[in-house]
Amino acid sequence: MTETISELEVRRKKLQFRGAHRGTKENDILIGRFMDKHLATLTSEQLDTFEALIVEVPDADFFKWATRKEPTPAQYDTDVLRMIQDLSNA
């Protein structure tokens, strides 16, 4: 199904809220920087990937992967996580 612009904007707003309320300050900062820079331009598929990261991955694991303190499992080693990683080391 092809999403319209308004549907993508609704998804982005929902993800922005969820991403800003992860539960740990460190992850809120990492995800916030990512959303400020990239959320408005993510494709529908990238939004799916981002949503999986913020919904499925526990905070401690996310932080370790985002800061490259531990290797990322293959299923989460995506362009979206690499964008977050790049910002975490900036």
Side-chain angles (χ1 to χ4, degrees):
M1 175 179 148
T2 303
E3 292 179 290
T4 65
I5 297 298
S6 62
E7 290 169 333
L8 283 175
E9 288 307 311
V10 168
R11 282 189 74 197
R12 286 185 178 111
K13 288 180 190 286
K14 287 179 181 179
L15 289 171
Q16 185 166 25
F17 179 83
R18 284 184 104 166
H21 297 87
R22 282 286 299 186
T24 65
K25 187 69 168 172
E26 294 86 355
N27 285 338
D28 289 349
I29 291 168
L30 288 173
I31 293 171
R33 289 176 74 192
F34 167 77
M35 290 188 304
D36 288 346
K37 183 164 183 160
H38 296 291
L39 189 61
T41 60
L42 294 179
T43 65
S44 181
E45 292 79 18
Q46 288 172 317
L47 290 173
D48 292 341
T49 301
F50 179 57
E51 185 171 21
L53 281 170
I54 64 174
V55 171
E56 298 172 9
V57 177
D59 283 340
D61 291 338
F62 177 84
F63 186 77
K64 291 174 197 171
W65 304 340
T67 58
R68 295 185 170 111
K69 298 208 184 300
E70 285 188 6
T72 305
Q75 78 182 76
Y76 295 108
D77 189 13
T78 63
D79 62 333
V80 172
L81 184 59
R82 286 188 292 280
M83 285 187 262
I84 294 168
Q85 290 170 329
D86 290 345
L87 288 171
S88 77
N89 295 315

